[in-house]
């Protein structure tokens, strides 16, 4: 399971949780809360099947739910999955927008599985709460599609250690052609 969160289109206080599974669990559920798992959101759409373009045509399922209208400047814990199984527990802190708010961002491109020189610092600084969001401006994994997508899977496992804790926004680079 690979987990990523990002801010929703409606509001910075809407957090979208995205994860992938190898099995079709048929439902996508996120349980979350401040003191426990007091809230549950279930997607009203089935997970989307994604077939890798490599020789094995490996299939995985993309799940997405929105945690809407959260409280500002609040730490939420969450896990996601289905009645067939749950991820580990993760957490994120919502932002507090005010008149002189100045977000702290990490912005980079070109991070692969091999020689991800920035990853240890990003993991440490994210988990110390130093960033409000991370922007990865394309070129992931080198390349996501290599080795029947297993390079992409390894990349997602590596970035989960940051992307599950802070909004991780991405755009497409020239290595995301396939
Ligand atoms: Fe590049």
């Amino acid at each position: 399971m690979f987990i990523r969160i990002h801010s929703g289109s409606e509001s910075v206080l809407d957090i979208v949780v995205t994860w992938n599974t190898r099995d079709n669990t048929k439902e996508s559920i996120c349980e979350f809360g401040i003191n426990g798992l007091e809230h549950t959101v279930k997607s009203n759409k089935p997970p989307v099947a994604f077939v890798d373009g490599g020789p094995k045509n490996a299939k995985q399922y993309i799940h997405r739910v929105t945690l809407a209208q959260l409280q500002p400047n609040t730490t939420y814990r969450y896990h996601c999955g289905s009645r067939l199984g749950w991820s580990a527990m993760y957490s994120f802190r919502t932002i507090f927008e005010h008149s002189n708010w100045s977000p702290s961002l990490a912005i980079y491109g070109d991070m692969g599985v091999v020689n991800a020189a920035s990853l240890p610092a990003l993991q440490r600084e994210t988990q110390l709460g130093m960033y409000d969001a991370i922007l990865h401006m394309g070129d992931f994994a080198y390349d996501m599609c290599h080795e029947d997508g297993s390079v992409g899977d390894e990349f997602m496992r590596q970035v989960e250690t940051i992307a599950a804790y802070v909004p991780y926004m991405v755009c497409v680079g020239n290595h995301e052609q396939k």
Side-chain angles (χ1 to χ4, degrees), residues 27-130:
E27 56 184 11
S28 309
I29 302 173
C30 184
E31 295 183 321
F32 68 103
I34 299 169
N35 299 311
L37 296 172
E38 59 264 36
H39 305 293
T40 300
V41 177
K42 180 178 177 180
S43 175
N44 55 16
K45 295 178 191 159
V48 176
F50 171 82
V51 179
D52 182 75
K56 288 183 184 166
N57 289 322
K59 190 185 265 189
Q60 51 187 289
Y61 294 85
I62 302 170
H63 306 259
R64 178 165 297 172
V65 298
T66 300
L67 320 183
Q69 297 179 308
L70 302 174
Q71 296 176 34
N73 199 27
T74 300
T75 298
Y76 287 87
R77 300 182 75 212
Y78 72 99
H79 69 181
C80 47
S82 71
R83 283 172 285 189
L84 297 175
W86 297 101
S87 72
M89 287 284 279
Y90 300 96
S91 64
F92 61 85
R93 187 166 190 83
T94 53
I95 63 168
F96 178 44
E97 276 187 297
H98 49 86
S99 56
N100 52 8
W101 181 60
S102 177
S104 175
L105 307 173
I107 304 174
Y108 53 87
D110 298 357
M111 190 166 74
V113 166
V114 176
N115 191 27
S118 308
L119 188 64
L122 287 165
Q123 291 166 322
R124 186 168 189 281
E125 292 172 4
T126 297
Q127 293 179 6
L128 285 171
M130 292 171 63

Side-chain angles (χ1 to χ4, degrees), residues 109-111 138-139 142 173-175:
D110 298 357
M111 190 166 74
D139 286 5
Y142 291 95
N174 65 302
H175 281 262

Side-chain angles (χ1 to χ4, degrees), residues 12-33:
V12 291
L13 294 176
D14 292 350
I15 290 287
V16 180
V17 185
T18 304
W19 69 98
N20 286 20
T21 56
R22 284 290 182 192
D23 294 322
N24 183 3
T25 63
K26 302 211 168 120
E27 56 184 11
S28 309
I29 302 173
C30 184
E31 295 183 321
F32 68 103

